[in-house]
Amino acid sequence: MTDAIAGKAAAPAKRRVRRASSDRPWTFYVLAGFFAFYVIALYGPMISIYILSFQDVRGGLVFPMRGFSLHWFNELIMQTRTGDVSGSFRRSIYLAIAVTVITVVFSFMAGMAFRRRFRGDTIVFYLMIGSLVAPGLVLGIGIGLGFDMAGIPTNWFTSALGAQLSWTLPFGILIMFAVMSRLNGDWEEAARDLGASPAQTIRLVILPILAPGLIAVALFGFTLSYDEFARTLQTAGAQNTLPLEIWSMTLNVTSPALYALGTVSTVISFLIIGVSLGSIILLQRRNAARMNISE
């Protein structure tokens, strides 16, 4: 008898929960529709480009597709009607690697330096991030004019390197500041108590702890350098990087080879991101295993 009464009392409560979950306000559907429209507007053009890059030789730059092949990817390799894709790609990779290394090293050094206050630290900080305020194209023009006034020819591995560092270093330093704020000084003190030198403390204690943050800085620096256009336009000299080559191809080449180049660039970017995230996961698992062993 008591079970039946309890069941009758619980039934209205279940109906109320079910009704409350199904009766959503109209604003929910409006926001859901707006989000769906945003996703389509954001990723729709990219997906269209990826699909059109697999057209046959008869295909054009618009739908409908005419066949399916890897012809336009072969055009990039053979470079029969396209620009210097392979050369610009190599230059972009070399430049991005150099920018990444310099950004990681200097961001780490700046993070270590700013752990303690010193005279003029506020001025130095604002000078470091001041380039974020200046428009990239204007800054690139200024660097190009500076090299011209000094009689030094602009090149992708000199002036373009400096122009891109003015963009990647501030971001790397800001990320490193956020990572350094979570570094516990007790770990360094424990290492010094055990007889570790300053170099050993950095190599054996600080760097392993900050490794995920350093990988994030490297990934950020590589991505910004690889895709940079405005600051490189006036500083790369006679040889283009990949973004500049893509821009020049839009003026000369009107074929799906341009779409194929975008597809290849996207795949490479995702591979780099995947390797970076995998490295962070491996480092976190290794640190967790070391902590379990020490316990």
Side-chain angles (χ1 to χ4, degrees):
M1 186 66 179
T2 56
D3 294 340
I5 295 173
K8 291 180 180 179
K14 291 181 179 179
R15 285 195 295 270
R16 284 195 299 269
V17 172
R18 190 178 296 110
R19 190 179 298 113
S21 61
S22 60
D23 296 341
R24 299 183 184 274
W26 64 271
T27 54
F28 170 80
Y29 298 101
V30 172
L31 293 176
F34 177 78
F35 177 74
F37 176 77
Y38 169 77
V39 172
I40 293 173
L42 182 64
Y43 293 102
M46 292 189 295
I47 295 174
S48 300
I49 287 175
Y50 303 153
I51 295 174
L52 290 171
S53 64
F54 290 96
Q55 287 205 89
D56 200 350
V57 64
R58 301 167 298 167
L61 297 173
V62 295
F63 288 103
M65 289 188 63
R66 298 177 181 177
F68 181 86
S69 71
L70 300 176
H71 170 76
W72 301 110
F73 293 92
N74 185 60
E75 283 284 322
L76 294 179
I77 299 174
M78 303 303 295
Q79 299 189 105
T80 55
R81 289 187 294 175
T82 59
D84 185 18
V85 176
S86 61
S88 62
F89 174 74
R90 286 196 304 269
R91 287 188 287 272
S92 289
I93 291 295
Y94 295 155
L95 182 59
I97 292 174
V99 168
T100 299
V101 173
I102 297 175
T103 300
V104 170
V105 172
F106 277 85
S107 297
F108 175 74
M109 294 171 62
M112 294 293 293
F114 274 85
R115 294 181 68 191
R116 294 180 177 86
R117 300 297 301 268
F118 55 89
R119 181 176 298 178
D121 55 352
T122 304
I123 298 175
V124 174
F125 173 76
Y126 283 113
L127 285 175
M128 285 191 301
I129 65 173
S131 60
L132 296 178
V133 182
L137 185 60
V138 175
L139 194 145
I141 293 174
I143 293 177
L145 289 175
F147 270 71
D148 184 66
M149 292 174 62
I152 304 174
T154 56
N155 205 305
W156 64 271
F157 58 84
T158 55
S159 54
L161 176 64
Q164 292 191 2
L165 286 174
S166 68
W167 178 238
T168 60
L169 273 177
F171 280 107
I173 290 172
L174 291 176
I175 295 173
M176 191 53 58
F177 283 174
V179 174
M180 285 288 187
S181 63
R182 296 178 294 177
L183 181 62
N184 193 345
D186 295 340
W187 300 328
E188 300 173 73
E189 185 177 354
R192 288 192 296 267
D193 292 341
L194 293 174
S197 64
Q200 290 175 327
T201 302
I202 293 175
R203 181 170 58 88
L204 300 176
V205 177
I206 297 178
L207 286 179
I209 294 174
L210 298 181
L214 293 174
I215 294 175
V217 173
L219 179 60
F220 215 88
F222 187 93
T223 304
L224 290 177
S225 172
Y226 183 72
D227 295 333
E228 181 57 34
F229 175 81
R231 288 170 172 79
T232 316
L233 181 61
Q234 301 294 331
T235 57
Q239 294 179 312
N240 288 338
T241 58
L242 187 60
L244 298 180
E245 191 66 27
I246 293 175
W247 174 67
S248 64
M249 287 174 63
T250 60
L251 304 177
N252 302 319
V253 180
T254 55
S255 70
L258 199 59
Y259 296 161
L261 180 57
T263 303
V264 172
S265 301
T266 304
V267 171
I268 292 173
S269 300
F270 276 110
L271 287 176
I272 295 172
I273 293 173
V275 171
S276 301
L277 294 178
S279 302
I280 293 175
I281 294 173
L282 290 176
L283 288 172
Q284 290 177 344
R285 290 181 177 179
R286 183 178 300 176
N287 292 334
R290 288 178 179 176
M291 292 178 64
N292 292 332
I293 293 175
S294 62
E295 292 176 356

